[in-house]
Amino acid sequence: GDVAAVAPTVGTVTLSPTSGGACGVYTCIATGTSAAGKPLSFAWRWTRNGATLAVTTATVQGAPIAAGDSLQCFAKANDGQTGAGGALLWSSEVASNLATVVAKTTLTGTGMASAAEGIAAWNTDAGAPEAAKTGHVIPLVGPCITGNVYAYYYAASREYGGIDASSKGGFHLTGGDAGFPNFGKALAANGLGIGDVEWRYGPQTLGADVKGSDWSYTGTTETRIYAGGTWSLWVKGEKAVGGAMPVSTMTLAFGDVCNGDDDVMASTTDWTSAENQSSASSAATQAVAKAFLADIGTAKLRFGYSAGYPIVKQDIKANNRWGGFFDMTKATIEVGDCAP
């Protein structure tokens, strides 16, 4: 006689990753078997803190997920066979492991000129690797000001263009990775630490260097707009992720113009995207890059730093470049809201 149809069986259901950010992608992966040897079709259900979500796909990302949530997915399967009345025969529903959505955090870093990190800022004469450019005259007024003091037209992290061959970059990470669980796990799994990750950028310029649009000066504080270039994160000298460098708004508070030691420089960028740039790097760096991008998901990033510095520096005097090296203290990589 005819053999009665039998519902398939779901074996394991795995939710990956087990922790991540609110903008990351969470994926439900299920295995199962069909007694009839037929292909399986799965149905998915998701819960957030125990309440069922209106999501029926194998992945979930962004809203309505929020930091602190506990996610779980469930799967059941059919193989196209029907039972009495022609209804599909479904397996029992099987639950996955739990996943925790962590709060986003800001990565922190530091780059001191004394450790061959930080910023290089410079002007150029004919014969330099870059076009010959000298920034505008800074309108400083004081009894100690003799002659012109020029703004630096170019800016980049210190290793750029062979300016300092001993430099690894602008700043290395020091913390704030609690909101990057997969990034942290990938570093640890490959024998690496947060301090092995270095941020680089450049070159950015003052563009047309026009007062009112590219720079302004009020009181003893100058604001400059630097644009162009790229940014990247490197792991032990290998490129991991990067993208177009966003516009940087730099403020320079000169304070007492006759006392360079009380000057303060700070910069914050616009928001930008990150992409995987690790294809030519080792498997370890590729794993770190993938994990970093999994943690930020669709969110954008922006960068910032502050530093004290004297008005006039003459550390760079080679290759028809002239300028100075500056610290990057309180450097940050901030994660924004989830993008559509």
Side-chain angles (χ1 to χ4, degrees), residues 200 229-235 237-245 272-282 285-290 292-293:
R200 301 178 181 181
T230 61
W231 71 273
S232 52
L233 284 179
W234 294 66
V235 180
E238 296 184 340
K239 187 182 283 190
V241 300
M245 182 66 177
T272 190
S273 299
E275 60 185 31
N276 196 323
Q277 297 184 348
S278 67
S279 60
S281 299
S282 66
T285 297
Q286 290 182 24
V288 170
K290 183 178 179 181
F292 180 87
L293 294 173

Side-chain angles (χ1 to χ4, degrees), residues 120 122 129-130 156-165 200-203 318-319 321:
W122 69 99
E130 303 81 26
S157 50
R158 185 165 173 154
E159 89 299 332
Y160 171 77
I163 292 176
D164 182 355
R200 301 178 181 181
Y201 87 102
N319 219 5
R321 293 165 167 149

Side-chain angles (χ1 to χ4, degrees), residues 15 45 87-88 109 162 175 178 196 202 209 236 304 315 340:
L15 175 52
R45 185 171 67 88
L88 286 171
D196 292 318
D209 201 13
K236 288 279 191 178
D315 305 311

Side-chain angles (χ1 to χ4, degrees), residues 23-24 61 271-274 295-301 335-339:
C23 301
Q61 181 181 31
W271 296 98
T272 190
S273 299
D295 283 331
I296 65 172
T298 61
K300 292 185 180 295
L301 304 173
V335 181
D337 295 330
C338 303

Side-chain angles (χ1 to χ4, degrees), residues 8-227:
T9 301
V10 172
T12 60
V13 179
T14 304
L15 175 52
S16 179
T18 56
S19 62
C23 301
V25 178
Y26 294 84
T27 302
C28 199
I29 304 166
T31 63
T33 57
S34 164
K38 296 178 178 291
L40 298 179
S41 296
F42 290 95
W44 312 98
R45 185 171 67 88
W46 291 82
T47 62
R48 169 181 176 248
N49 305 324
T52 298
L53 295 171
V55 178
T56 58
T57 57
T59 60
V60 65
Q61 181 181 31
I65 299 172
D69 285 346
S70 178
L71 298 178
Q72 191 170 29
C73 67
F74 301 79
K76 62 181 181 178
N78 74 75
D79 58 7
Q81 296 191 88
T82 58
L88 286 171
L89 290 174
W90 287 93
S91 70
S92 299
E93 189 178 67
V94 176
S96 74
N97 53 290
L98 296 173
T100 302
V101 182
V102 300
K104 63 183 180 182
T105 56
T106 296
L107 292 169
T108 58
T110 186
M112 304 302 290
S114 59
E117 292 181 307
I119 297 169
W122 69 99
N123 291 318
T124 53
D125 296 324
E130 303 81 26
K133 292 285 187 179
T134 297
H136 58 271
V137 175
I138 305 171
L140 298 173
V141 177
C144 56
I145 304 299
T146 58
N148 293 330
V149 178
Y150 295 96
Y152 293 124
Y153 184 82
Y154 296 99
S157 50
R158 185 165 173 154
E159 89 299 332
Y160 171 77
I163 292 176
D164 182 355
S166 69
S167 176
K168 294 185 293 184
F171 64 83
H172 63 275
L173 297 184
T174 56
D177 53 325
F180 295 77
N182 298 294
F183 178 55
K185 289 176 184 176
L187 287 171
N190 288 282
L192 300 164
I194 192 74
D196 292 318
V197 182
E198 192 87 19
W199 184 84
R200 301 178 181 181
Y201 87 102
Q204 291 199 299
T205 76
L206 285 172
D209 201 13
V210 175
K211 184 177 181 180
S213 57
D214 300 303
W215 66 278
S216 61
Y217 193 86
T218 303
T220 58
T221 298
E222 182 180 4
T223 301
R224 298 180 194 166
I225 306 299
Y226 284 91

